Amino acid sequence: MIGRVNHIAIAVPDLEAAARRYREMLGASVSGVQELPEHGVRVVFVETGNTKVELLEPLGDASPIAAFLERNPDGGMHHICYEVADVSAAVRRLIEGGARVLGDGEPKIGAHGLPVVFLHPKDFDGTLIELEEVKPEFGPA
Amino acid sequence: MIGRVNHIAIAVPDLEAAARRYREMLGASVSGVQELPEHGVRVVFVETGNTKVELLEPLGDASPIAAFLERNPDGGMHHICYEVADVSAAVRRLIEGGARVLGDGEPKIGAHGLPVVFLHPKDFDGTLIELEEVKPEFGPA
């Protein structure tokens, strides 16, 4: 069911400082800043060749990462996103297996414009898992 | 400098239960259990096609993940490992840039039999970063 790691998301308290460290100290390929107000984050993408690391800073009062940063003021690894071919089928299988899907269980359109769900971290060893539906014909090789 | 994400490491309190959840609930390709007593962990590898997720359980009293699991009894994302072509050169650049390398700063032989260092999470937004030296000719395409 789960396929490629689409991205690893890291919540950071200062996006520009974090982007600079990845670019200058780690020599990474880092995108410019994108603001995604409908998702409550500002983001830069670190391209690693085989997947992406997304550095996220809260944007607005209802940011989904604000509480995480209150608990972890230095920042930290926030979630891992796996690609799936059919997110609704994935949700059915997970619920049958006893896992909890966050929210109302219905896929939402995520930050990449594709259907996503998040799974309860208590069901997966304290790890917040995002599943993103990627049509195979549109996915990277 | 940093290249591919070699793996994402997740500390788990019960390796067999975690492996079963990844296999049965997430439909993932999960290896058998390997014991690495010299590294203080038992591990399974989740193959995602583009990178690996390593589920780690402490092994022995001096396990490097024991303290993390005391703070996070449910488990959680522990570190992210990037490939580099020359770990000693990477260390020099990082130290010049003001980053801290854990331990004495000298690369050690890691769990994959290759030279590794770990960077201080306080310098990278609360994220523990491992750098692993992978010779390009031996690395995956």
Side-chain angles (χ1 to χ4, degrees), chain B residues 16-56:
Chain B
E16 277 73 11
R20 196 167 52 240
R21 280 191 293 270
Y22 275 75
R23 200 177 280 127
E24 295 177 4
M25 296 174 74
L26 293 172
S29 171
V30 182
S31 76
V33 173
Q34 292 184 26
E35 302 215 342
L36 303 173
E38 69 277 29
H39 295 286
V41 293
R42 303 172 71 233
V43 59
V44 300
F45 301 92
V46 179
E47 284 292 347
T48 69
N50 59 333
T51 187
K52 286 189 299 292
V53 174
E54 300 188 1
L55 306 178
L56 305 174

Side-chain angles (χ1 to χ4, degrees), chain B:
Chain B
M1 189 168 84
I2 58 169
R4 296 162 49 95
V5 172
N6 183 275
H7 62 270
I8 303 112
I10 298 176
V12 306
D14 180 336
L15 187 61
E16 277 73 11
R20 196 167 52 240
R21 280 191 293 270
Y22 275 75
R23 200 177 280 127
E24 295 177 4
M25 296 174 74
L26 293 172
S29 171
V30 182
S31 76
V33 173
Q34 292 184 26
E35 302 215 342
L36 303 173
E38 69 277 29
H39 295 286
V41 293
R42 303 172 71 233
V43 59
V44 300
F45 301 92
V46 179
E47 284 292 347
T48 69
N50 59 333
T51 187
K52 286 189 299 292
V53 174
E54 300 188 1
L55 306 178
L56 305 174
E57 185 190 81
L59 178 63
D61 294 336
S63 174
I65 60 169
F68 179 89
L69 275 170
E70 275 169 33
R71 289 194 307 276
N72 304 278
D74 292 331
M77 286 191 278
H78 184 266
H79 68 263
I80 179 168
C81 175
Y82 297 99
E83 298 178 357
V84 294
D86 182 337
V87 74
S88 297
V91 165
R92 284 195 298 276
R93 175 175 173 161
L94 283 156
I95 289 174
E96 282 171 14
R100 287 165 287 181
V101 176
L102 296 186
D104 61 8
E106 292 296 316
K108 302 288 182 293
I109 297 302
H112 305 149
L114 295 165
V116 303
V117 291
F118 284 89
L119 310 183
H120 200 302
K122 287 261 183 196
D123 294 333
F124 291 98
D125 310 290
T127 301
L128 179 60
I129 292 177
E130 180 180 15
L131 301 179
E132 179 173 290
E133 183 170 302
V134 178
K135 294 288 175 237
E137 62 265 40
F138 298 138

